[in-house]
Amino acid sequence: MLSCVASLGVPMIIMHMRGNPKTMQLLTNYNSESEDSGGGGGVVAGVARELMQRSAAAEAAGIPRWLQVVDPGIGFAKDIDGNLSLLKGVDTLRQSCDNLPFLFGPSRKGFIGKIVGGADPEERDYGTIAACLASIQNNDCGNNEGCNMLRVHNAKAVKQAVLVYEAVWNT
């Protein structure tokens, strides 16, 4: 895929995921990797490290960094604590990825259902809004170190929430 994207000169989203849809939930331990092999440090450090490896491979294939968007893969090979750690540590994650453009896609994910008591995916929009606001969090008195893009199902509701959130921070 990298050679195809490079030949077309189009942007690419590099999403973090371990395994495949059948095995990914068995691969949620980010603390067992050896520090000597560049591993360890928890989910934020592990995801950042693996995203930067994929970013380097994309660049080596001819996809310049300015055409790369990274996505930490909320819900993909992460348990509930891992997903929450990524949302809470979005600023550290972004800095660890050299401030490449970031996309978060927490919309209606299973971890939201677990937090709110098993709601069906269509009933997780309020939880999705909270996760989206966490991912765009402003730090250090309004300096945005969060994500740049959101992937959601209910775009109208999230847009309203983000507009209000930004209005609060920009006054």
Side-chain angles (χ1 to χ4, degrees):
M1 181 187 313
L2 294 178
S3 60
C4 178
V5 173
S7 70
L8 294 172
V10 295
M12 177 180 190
I13 296 173
I14 301 169
M15 188 188 87
H16 179 271
M17 181 176 157
R18 290 177 168 179
N20 60 51
K22 290 183 180 180
T23 63
M24 66 184 181
Q25 290 313 115
L26 302 173
L27 303 170
T28 61
N29 186 345
Y30 291 82
N31 292 316
S32 64
E33 300 163 2
S34 166
E35 290 287 339
D36 296 334
S37 67
V43 67
V44 174
V47 168
R49 184 174 45 257
E50 293 173 26
L51 282 172
M52 290 309 293
Q53 289 168 351
R54 293 179 184 151
S55 173
E59 192 168 21
I63 303 166
R65 293 186 65 176
W66 60 272
L67 285 177
Q68 297 178 27
V69 176
V70 291
D71 174 353
I74 296 289
F76 292 87
K78 284 95 179 165
D79 57 20
I80 190 168
D81 291 333
N83 289 311
L84 295 173
S85 292
L86 288 171
L87 288 167
K88 188 175 181 180
V90 66
D91 54 337
T92 301
L93 182 61
R94 176 120 187 244
Q95 290 168 8
S96 297
C97 289
D98 294 337
N99 289 309
L100 284 169
F102 248 78
L103 175 138
F104 268 74
S107 191
R108 299 181 178 175
K109 293 287 173 78
F111 82 97
I112 294 171
K114 289 177 183 174
I115 292 169
V116 301
D120 290 331
E122 298 79 25
E123 297 174 4
R124 298 178 189 162
D125 286 342
Y126 300 121
T128 293
I129 289 169
C132 288
L133 295 179
S135 73
I136 64 168
Q137 67 185 334
N138 287 291
N139 297 293
D140 299 325
C141 301
N143 294 325
N144 190 354
E145 299 291 338
C147 79
N148 306 95
M149 292 173 255
L150 298 167
R151 189 212 45 85
V152 297
H153 293 88
N154 189 339
K156 182 178 180 179
V158 173
K159 179 181 177 183
Q160 286 180 2
V162 169
L163 288 172
V164 171
Y165 180 87
E166 288 179 341
V168 169
W169 278 101
N170 293 326
T171 57

